[in-house]
Amino acid sequence: MMAQVLPEETVIRFLTSLRAALAGLVGSLEQQADAIDAVENPYARLAVEHGLAVHRASLTWAEQAIIRLAADSPRP
């Protein structure tokens, strides 16, 4: 939806920034998941696993969106 009001370069920069933030968040959640004892605290483990699933999906989407937009961009 951003592409309707912003230049494509701005959208790609935003997505690139989003990708970096999501990659950092996924890395942090992976560390948290490794530190949680699933036997002692199964609810915390489930919560972190949910966060990982959601943010990994968003990261994959952002990566694919960048690739598609870059491929569709006219070259100067």
Side-chain angles (χ1 to χ4, degrees):
M1 294 177 69
M2 293 171 67
Q4 296 174 4
V5 295
L6 297 172
E8 189 171 303
E9 304 83 37
T10 303
V11 175
I12 292 174
R13 277 195 310 271
F14 168 79
L15 289 171
T16 301
S17 176
L18 177 62
R19 176 182 58 189
L22 287 167
L25 181 56
V26 166
S28 176
L29 287 171
E30 287 171 340
Q31 289 177 345
Q32 288 180 35
D34 290 342
I36 294 172
D37 184 334
V39 174
E40 288 185 25
N41 200 343
Y43 299 107
R45 179 65 187 214
L46 288 169
V48 172
E49 288 173 355
H50 174 262
L52 274 168
V54 169
H55 296 304
R56 282 179 177 152
S58 294
L59 177 57
T60 298
W61 174 85
E63 290 169 342
Q64 292 172 350
I66 292 166
I67 290 167
R68 286 176 55 188
L69 289 175
D72 292 344
S73 293
R75 302 288 180 239

